[in-house]
Amino acid sequence: MSASRLFELAQGQVEPGLMAQLGRHVAAVEAELARQMGSQVRLVEEVGTHTLRAGGKRLRPALVAIVAEVTGRPYDPARAARLGACLEMIHMATLIHDDVIDHADTRRGAATAAAVFGNTAAILSGDVLLAKAMSLLAHDGDLAIIRLVADMVVEMAEGEVRELETRGEFDLSANAHREIIRMKTAEFIRSCCQVGALLAGLATPEVESLGAYGYHIGMAFQIVDDLLDYEAETATLGKQTATDFREGCATYPLIFLRDHLTEAERTLAETKFGNGVTDEEICLIREWMRERGAFAETRALASDHVRLARARLEDLPDGPGRAMLGAIAEFIVQRRS
Ligand code: FPP
Ligand code: MG
């Protein structure tokens, strides 16, 4: 799913003036990202450019601008583009690192940086991207935004470590899992919305409310990500599937399935969790998830978060920005890749 596809989905639902404004914003973000990939160190430039070319939804920079727009207040589009690029670079760095952690060879239909350049080059170049993002943030110089983003990065990294701590826990509780996805994904999306709100100079309660919208779509996004990890095919998803089971990460499809297994099935699944599961066994587990309602329960949970996200939009002035935020929330549960 590319940035242009995200905008296609909004066509017809969103007023052309806003679409044109967002098109300009995405172009400015892409230009800033291309500039930021330049480096005096060849390998840094190569890893960055490779990752940038793989594309992505550019959801985070889009949210910064749409939220700023939805306020109806004046904001500086150049800052929105720079901060959007900064947030996208943090995202790129985390995915480069995540693919090393998950031993993933493909993402977005292309070879991962680790697969092309090796783990060490990927980790170090990811570090450079993160450092450059922090530099962009510091040069922008807004202390409230610096604090918000820096605290979010800490929480995201801690979320990833917590996920590592719980690897191999077949019986990980739903609460513990919810907390991990809040930390590793939802807080990031919340921050993007809050940055947009702060750019437009909103007061704290409104910043919090738009942040809550971001939190809920972030939760929905990760829940659907975890669903697609089991439900989708590699060709559609552009990355390997069932990696969570192979790596021993318990996510909602497995958490819901656990209640619907016989003793013998549970023993098989538990023994193979993160422990050399075969492709045939993965097929069987996916089939159980489908027929026993674990996929449907997972999608319903994501839809609950989308509903809560949309409820947060009700207090906003009706207009194209609000419609676009609503469309983004729907796109998150409907996406298939
Ligand atoms: C994707 O999860 C990964 C994240 C949401 C967070 C990754 C965070 C880190 C690696 C630590 C922090 C790193 C930096 C540079 C600050 P996933 O594996 O469930 O999703 P996937 O299916 O897209 O791989
Ligand atoms: Mg991963």
Side-chain angles (χ1 to χ4, degrees):
M1 175 74 61
S2 64
S4 55
R5 180 87 182 90
L6 185 61
F7 286 101
E8 270 169 39
L9 283 167
Q11 294 280 9
Q13 299 187 56
V14 175
E15 189 254 339
L18 175 64
M19 289 303 287
Q21 163 66 15
L22 290 174
R24 284 191 293 276
H25 172 71
V26 169
V29 169
E30 293 297 336
E32 182 64 41
L33 285 171
R35 208 169 18 252
Q36 290 292 329
M37 293 310 116
S39 168
Q40 54 186 326
V41 180
R42 182 187 49 80
L43 191 53
V44 168
E45 195 162 306
E46 283 179 6
V47 175
T49 308
H50 172 85
T51 308
L52 195 59
R53 283 207 190 114
K57 296 175 274 299
R58 306 291 189 251
L59 176 64
R60 290 156 185 79
L63 283 171
V64 172
I66 299 164
V67 168
E69 282 288 328
V70 88
T71 66
R73 298 168 64 123
Y75 69 96
D76 178 352
R79 286 188 67 210
R82 270 199 309 275
L83 290 167
C86 159
L87 291 161
E88 188 66 19
M89 285 161 66
I90 296 171
H91 179 53
M92 287 166 66
T94 63
L95 294 186
I96 291 173
H97 285 183
D98 183 68
D99 287 332
V100 173
I101 297 165
D102 290 349
H103 309 108
D105 292 336
T106 46
R107 177 180 290 276
R108 298 169 177 162
T112 58
V116 176
F117 302 96
N119 283 348
T120 310
I123 292 167
L124 291 174
S125 303
D127 289 341
V128 175
L129 273 182
L130 179 66
K132 283 189 178 198
M134 292 299 140
S135 170
L136 262 179
L137 197 59
H139 282 282
D140 181 71
D142 182 320
L143 198 52
I145 294 180
I146 293 171
R147 285 183 178 153
L148 183 81
V149 175
D151 289 347
M152 172 276 288
V153 174
V154 172
E155 188 135 52
M156 175 175 48
E158 284 182 343
E160 193 73 2
V161 180
R162 186 169 282 182
E163 184 172 87
L164 174 69
E165 277 181 342
T166 64
R167 270 198 193 202
E169 279 186 37
F170 186 80
D171 283 311
L172 183 72
S173 72
N175 281 351
H177 176 59
R178 182 172 351 101
E179 183 62 0
I180 289 170
I181 61 179
R182 179 189 70 77
M183 292 172 81
K184 78 170 194 176
T185 302
E187 292 303 334
F188 195 167
I189 310 279
R190 188 205 296 270
S191 296
C192 294
C193 295
Q194 289 177 322
V195 167
L198 286 168
L199 267 178
L202 288 190
T204 306
E206 293 145 314
V207 174
E208 293 302 315
S209 186
L210 281 159
Y213 160 84
Y215 160 78
H216 285 296
I217 63 165
M219 291 298 286
F221 186 87
Q222 187 62 48
I223 293 167
V224 170
D225 197 77
D226 295 341
L227 170 66
L228 294 176
D229 186 56
Y230 285 103
E231 195 185 35
E233 302 304 327
T234 303
T236 336
L237 201 56
K239 58 188 177 186
Q240 281 149 343
T241 53
T243 52
D244 290 331
F245 196 94
R246 293 180 214 274
E247 300 290 331
C249 289
T251 58
Y252 278 116
L254 182 71
I255 290 170
F256 288 130
L257 176 69
R258 286 185 321 221
D259 293 338
H260 307 288
L261 293 176
T262 65
E263 197 74 9
E265 289 166 347
R266 190 198 144 88
T267 305
L268 170 75
E270 192 171 6
T271 313
K272 291 303 177 121
F273 184 58
N275 187 26
V277 66
T278 64
D279 288 345
E280 290 71 32
E281 287 160 345
I282 288 288
C283 277
L284 185 64
I285 289 161
R286 289 167 84 179
E287 211 30 58
W288 290 341
M289 287 173 172
R290 194 183 322 278
E291 67 188 29
R292 299 179 196 184
F295 286 159
E297 280 184 81
T298 305
R299 202 169 277 286
L301 184 62
S303 297
D304 287 345
H305 279 289
V306 166
R307 254 191 306 281
L308 291 167
R310 293 194 76 126
R312 290 305 184 134
L313 301 178
E314 276 162 19
D315 296 337
L316 293 170
D318 197 8
R322 192 172 104 167
M324 180 89 186
L325 291 179
I328 288 178
E330 287 308 324
F331 144 77
I332 282 173
V333 269
Q334 283 162 19
R335 76 193 172 104
R336 289 286 181 264
S337 68

